[in-house]
C-alpha cells in the first residue's frame, strides 16, 4: 500500500488537497479587473477571471453558484478572496465556501469603487497568502484522493492505449477506496448502452440514460445538418476517428474493465455516496469539463490526448499522457507520460497503468505537471442558456 500513499494538505473539513492555492475569485465578469489587480499586488495569489455572472437565472444561475462555490471549496485551495459587483450574490458565494471552514473573505465594488475594493481585498489576500505559506504537507492515504479524467484531441492511439491506461489505473484504485470521476456526455454517443451497463445498479443506469438523453435533445434541437467538426472534431478526424461511435468507445476505455460507476452527478456537484467511480454530466469541451470536475472537489486530473490537447486548470493539476509517438516527440513539453510503448509492444497495459500511478503520486507530492509549468490555467464556466 505504501506506493499509493502521498503527502497532501489537510483542510479544516478533513478533505485533502495536493496544492495550496490562495485564489482571488470574481463573482461576475465586472469584477475580473479588480481580482486581477489584487493578484498583481499580492504575489502567490491566483485570479480566476471568467465572462459570466450577470442576469443569469434558473438552473443556469444555480450552476454558476455551484461552480464558483465548488471552486473556492476545492481542497487544493487554502484560502479565497471573493469579489463581486454587489453584496448579495457575493455573500452567497462567500457563505458557501465558508462552510468548509477555510479562510475566506468577500468584497463588493458597488459603493466602494475599484480602488477601495482592491486595496481592502489586497490587504486580506496578503494575510491569507502568508497564512497559507506556513501550511505543511502531511501523510495521506489513497482513500482520501479524488481523481477525475477526460480525454482530448483523441485519435486512434487514444482508444487503443492511453485511455485504457487510465482505465487500468481506475481498476487498481477503485478497490482501494479512491473517489474517481468521468464525464463527457455527448462524447459517449453510440456507446451509451455499454456505458449504462457499467452502472452499479439499474437506478444508476436509468439516471445516466436520463442525463444522456437530455443532452441529446439539446443537440437535436440546436444542430444544423449534423455535428461535423464538433463531434468528432477536425483533430479527431485527422487522427483517424471518422465517427462519434469510434470516439465514444475509445473514450469509454478510461473507466477500466471491472469498475462500475456508483452515481451520476450534476455538473459541478460533489459526490455524496462515498468512495467509488462517478459519472458527471458535462460538456466534452476540455476546459469546461475539468472546471466542473474541479468544482466538484476533484484534486488531480488524468488527461489522455492523441493529437495533443494542451489543457490545464488553475487549481486542479492536469496530467497529460499520450500513446501517439509523434505527439510525444513534437509536443514533449506538454506530455507527462508517454505510453506509446504499448503500441510497439515494449510496454504492457499493466505496466503503463503502474507508471501513471507513479506520476500521479509524484504530482500529489508536489511535482508540477507540464501544464502547470507552462502556465496553462484554463478556467471556463459552463453556461446552459441565454441570460435575461
Amino acid at each position: 500500500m505504501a506506493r499509493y500513499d502521498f503527502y497532501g494538505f489537510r483542510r479544516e473539513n478533513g478533505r485533502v488537497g495536493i496544492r495550496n492555492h490562495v485564489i482571488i475569485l470574481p463573482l461576475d465578469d465586472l469584477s475580473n479587473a479588480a481580482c486581477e489587480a489584487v493578484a498583481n499586488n499580492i504575489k502567490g495569489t491566483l485570479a480566476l477571471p471568467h465572462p459570466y455572472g450577470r442576469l443569469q437565472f434558473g438552473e443556469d444561475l444555480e450552476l454558476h453558484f455551484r461552480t464558483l462555490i465548488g471552486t473556492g471549496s476545492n481542497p487544493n485551495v487554502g484560502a479565497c478572496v471573493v469579489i463581486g459587483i454587489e453584496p448579495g450574490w457575493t455573500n452567497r458565494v462567500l457563505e458557501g465556501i465558508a462552510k468548509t471552514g477555510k479562510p475566506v473573505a468577500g468584497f463588493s465594488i458597488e459603493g466602494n469603487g475599484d480602488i477601495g475594493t482592491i486595496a481592502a481585498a489586497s490587504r486580506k489576500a496578503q494575510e491569507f497568502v502568508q497564512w497559507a505559506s506556513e501550511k505543511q504537507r502531511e501523510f495521506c492515504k489513497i482513500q482520501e484522493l479524488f481523481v477525475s479524467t477526460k480525454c482530448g484531441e483523441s485519435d486512434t492511439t487514444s482508444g487503443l492505449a492511453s485511455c485504457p491506461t487510465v482505465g487500468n489505473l481506475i481498476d487498481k484504485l477503485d478497490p482501494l477506496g479512491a473517489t474517481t470521476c468521468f464525464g463527457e456526455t455527448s462524447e459517449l454517443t453510440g456507446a451509451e448502452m455499454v456505458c449504462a451497463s457499467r452502472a452499479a445498479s439499474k437506478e444508476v443506469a436509468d439516471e445516466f440514460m436520463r442525463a444522456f438523453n437530455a443532452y441529446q435533445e439539446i443537440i437535436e434541437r440546436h444542430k444544423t445538418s449534423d455535428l461535423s467538426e464538433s463531434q468528432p472534431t477536425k483533430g479527431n478526424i485527422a487522427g483517424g476517428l471518422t465517427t462519434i461511435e469510434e470516439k465514444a468507445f475509445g473514450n469509454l476505455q478510461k473507466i477500466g474493465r471491472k469498475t462500475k460507476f456508483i452515481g451520476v452527478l450534476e455538473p459541478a456537484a460533489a459526490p455524496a455516496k462515498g468512495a467509488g467511480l462517478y459519472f458527471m454530466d458535462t460538456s466534452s469541451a476540455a476546459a469546461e469539463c475539468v472546471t466542473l470536475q474541479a468544482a466538484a472537489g476533484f484534486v488531480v486530473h488524468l488527461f489522455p490526448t492523441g493529437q495533443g490537447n494542451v489543457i490545464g486548470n488553475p487549481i486542479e493539476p492536469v496530467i497529460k499522457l499520450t500513446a501517439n509517438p509523434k505527439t510525444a516527440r513534437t509536443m514533449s513539453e506538454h506530455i507527462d507520460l508517454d505510453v506509446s510503448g504499448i503500441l510497439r509492444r515494449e510496454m504492457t497495459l499493466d505496466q503503463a497503468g503502474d507508471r501513471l500511478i507513479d506520476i500521479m503520486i509524484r504530482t500529489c507530492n508536489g511535482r508540477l505537471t507540464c501544464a502547470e509549468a507552462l502556465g496553462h490555467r484554463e478556467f471556463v464556466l459552463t453556461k446552459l442558456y441565454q441570460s435575461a
Side-chain angles (χ1 to χ4, degrees):
M1 292 291 292
R3 60 178 291 205
Y4 299 104
D5 300 334
F6 64 99
Y7 289 85
F9 297 97
R10 192 170 301 282
R11 301 304 176 193
E12 291 76 9
N13 62 357
R15 285 290 310 280
V16 168
I18 64 170
R19 296 295 184 265
N20 195 34
H21 297 299
V22 174
I23 64 171
I24 316 300
L25 184 65
L27 170 74
D28 48 62
D29 51 352
L30 301 181
S31 305
N32 287 337
C35 287
E36 290 174 305
V38 172
N40 183 64
N41 287 345
I42 309 303
K43 308 312 173 190
T45 64
L46 178 64
L48 304 183
H50 60 79
Y52 300 134
R54 299 297 289 167
L55 297 181
Q56 292 178 251
F57 62 95
E59 179 54 31
D60 189 42
L61 181 60
E62 292 303 312
L63 174 58
H64 183 78
F65 281 124
R66 194 161 65 238
T67 304
L68 293 185
I69 292 170
T71 297
S73 300
N74 187 288
N76 285 347
V77 174
C80 179
V81 172
V82 182
I83 299 178
I85 187 66
E86 54 82 34
W89 284 8
T90 302
N91 287 337
R92 180 171 170 180
V93 174
L94 168 68
E95 291 165 5
I97 297 171
K99 291 178 182 178
T100 66
K102 71 178 61 178
V104 58
F107 300 87
S108 299
I109 297 172
E110 283 184 357
N112 299 295
D114 267 12
I115 295 175
T117 301
I118 292 165
S122 294
R123 290 189 180 94
K124 182 57 69 172
Q126 180 182 353
E127 176 188 323
F128 283 172
V129 79
Q130 289 182 286
W131 171 86
S133 69
E134 293 191 284
K135 292 287 285 185
Q136 298 292 310
R137 290 180 179 270
E138 60 182 79
F139 180 79
C140 302
K141 305 292 287 184
I142 195 67
Q143 294 93 326
E144 301 178 277
L145 190 63
F146 280 52
V147 184
S148 60
T149 184
K150 85 168 297 295
C151 49
E153 283 299 282
S154 300
D155 61 15
T156 53
T157 70
S158 299
L160 290 171
S162 57
C163 285
T165 296
V166 174
N168 184 272
L169 175 145
I170 297 288
D171 279 341
K172 288 171 177 173
L173 294 193
D174 192 70
L176 301 178
T179 302
T180 54
C181 177
F182 72 109
E184 304 176 84
T185 308
S186 70
E187 202 165 297
L188 295 170
T189 302
E192 68 271 15
M193 298 307 295
V194 176
C195 185
S197 74
R198 295 292 300 277
S201 67
K202 183 180 184 304
E203 290 73 21
V204 174
D206 290 345
E207 195 174 354
F208 164 77
M209 288 305 302
R210 281 193 294 272
F212 177 82
N213 289 330
Y215 219 118
Q216 292 299 305
E217 289 173 10
I218 293 172
I219 290 171
E220 289 296 322
R221 190 183 318 135
H222 295 289
K223 74 178 186 180
T224 50
S225 57
D226 56 23
L227 287 178
S228 293
E229 299 185 7
S230 293
Q231 286 287 24
T233 66
K234 277 188 173 181
N236 298 147
I237 294 168
L241 299 178
T242 60
T243 68
I244 183 58
E245 290 83 3
E246 290 176 349
K247 188 177 179 182
F249 278 103
N251 181 349
L252 198 56
Q253 299 302 309
K254 296 199 303 295
I255 69 173
R257 298 176 179 175
K258 306 171 187 175
T259 305
K260 293 184 176 292
F261 62 97
I262 63 172
V264 174
L265 303 174
E266 292 182 337
K273 293 183 177 181
L277 174 65
Y278 291 82
F279 169 79
M280 181 184 288
D281 183 19
T282 75
S283 164
S284 298
E288 284 189 58
C289 182
V290 181
T291 298
L292 291 170
Q293 291 172 326
F298 291 88
V299 301
V300 63
H301 188 88
L302 309 176
F303 194 99
T305 184
Q307 298 289 93
N309 191 308
V310 298
I311 177 70
N313 183 270
I315 63 170
E316 184 183 7
V318 176
I319 298 171
K320 244 65 69 6
L321 63 151
T322 191
N324 185 322
K326 179 181 177 183
T327 300
R329 183 178 70 255
T330 61
M331 300 182 69
S332 60
E333 72 271 28
H334 296 282
I335 303 302
D336 296 283
L337 179 62
D338 175 6
V339 295
S340 59
I342 295 174
L343 302 179
R344 294 190 298 270
R345 301 194 178 188
E346 298 170 357
M347 175 191 298
T348 66
L349 182 58
D350 199 49
Q351 289 170 334
D354 285 345
R355 288 188 60 187
L356 183 56
I357 290 171
D358 176 67
I359 199 75
M360 182 187 74
I361 295 298
R362 288 163 59 195
T363 300
C364 291
N365 285 334
R367 174 194 180 273
L368 292 182
T369 65
C370 290
E372 288 178 294
L374 291 169
H376 277 278
R377 296 172 174 174
E378 286 74 34
F379 180 74
V380 180
L381 302 186
T382 295
K383 201 170 189 306
L384 300 179
Y385 44 74
Q386 293 173 312
S387 300

